[in-house]
Amino acid sequence: MVLAGQDELVSVFHSGSSATVHLHGATLISWKHHGEEQLFLSKKAVLNGSKPIRGGIPVVFPQFGVGPLIKSSQQHGFARSMRWTVSERKENKVKLQLRSDEQTRLLYPFDFELHLAVTLEDNLSVEFSVHNLSAAPLEFTALLHTYFRVESIADISVGGLAGCVYRDKLRDSSKDVEASSEIKIAGEVDRVYLDAPTSLFIHAPKKTVKIASSNFPDAVLWNPWIEKSKAMADFDDEEYKEMVCLEVGHVGRSVILPASAQWTASQTLSIAG
Ligand code: TA6
């Protein structure tokens, strides 16, 4: 792992639990719920600000994947690649912000301010908001690209998505319907579920992780499996066994935010069992 300087990290605490945010991308890189790490961070992650962080919760804005909303072929926008600043800090809460600047205007010709508020209680909540400071409407997609740590991918299942329509990014297919109420992952998966329920679950033998979202209508399920893991320089070949990305977002269609308006969405992660 390429390490971070201590002044790049902000931690919050609440009754035996902690969470740490890296200023690069406002990426939440650790959530220790009563001492047990819940987020996956690759041992090959680069934390020196030279590339997006492979793991934790990178913030995707203003373009999910590759698309027309920014003038760049780089995927997942620029918010995860920029240094955010701390705007508010308490023992169990930190708020970070990112404002448009000359660099962002080259890719995305708008003025905006982003806020990410991380609040640690027994649950962890992450609230993302976008404020349009332009005179024109702001168009964007956004997502919290959450990497969950799992003991073994073979032993988990993902619940809450049965009956949802999804786009399978691997098959370039138009639309499928999820048939399974407990999705097992035994190969590469990269799906965008549209209009997903607001409660999703990762069931593991000893616990269930619940992802409760608000104003994020869509959900992405991703595991790179064997070949894609080998192709990623900042991801160890075997780490696909220890993670699953279950990501809530507004990606099926874009948000069109009127001038001066603000848009807010959030996820709350909790552990049961
Ligand atoms: O959210 C899933 C996804 O879009 C996958 O298609 C996969 O590429 C992943 O994100 C990681 O993207 P990254 O740009 O971080 O390598």
Side-chain angles (χ1 to χ4, degrees), residues 147-163:
Y147 288 74
F148 291 95
R149 194 178 102 75
V150 300
E151 288 276 311
S152 166
I153 192 74
D155 294 339
I156 65 123
S157 62
V158 173
L161 290 165

Side-chain angles (χ1 to χ4, degrees), residues 52-54 64-65 75-76 80 143 145 147 169 190 220-222 232 245 247:
I53 294 173
R54 179 68 65 199
F64 170 70
Q75 75 161 3
H76 293 343
R80 65 177 183 163
L143 169 121
H145 200 304
Y147 288 74
K169 283 173 82 178
D190 194 352
V220 175
L221 180 62
W222 180 58
M232 286 188 281
C245 281
E247 318 155 24

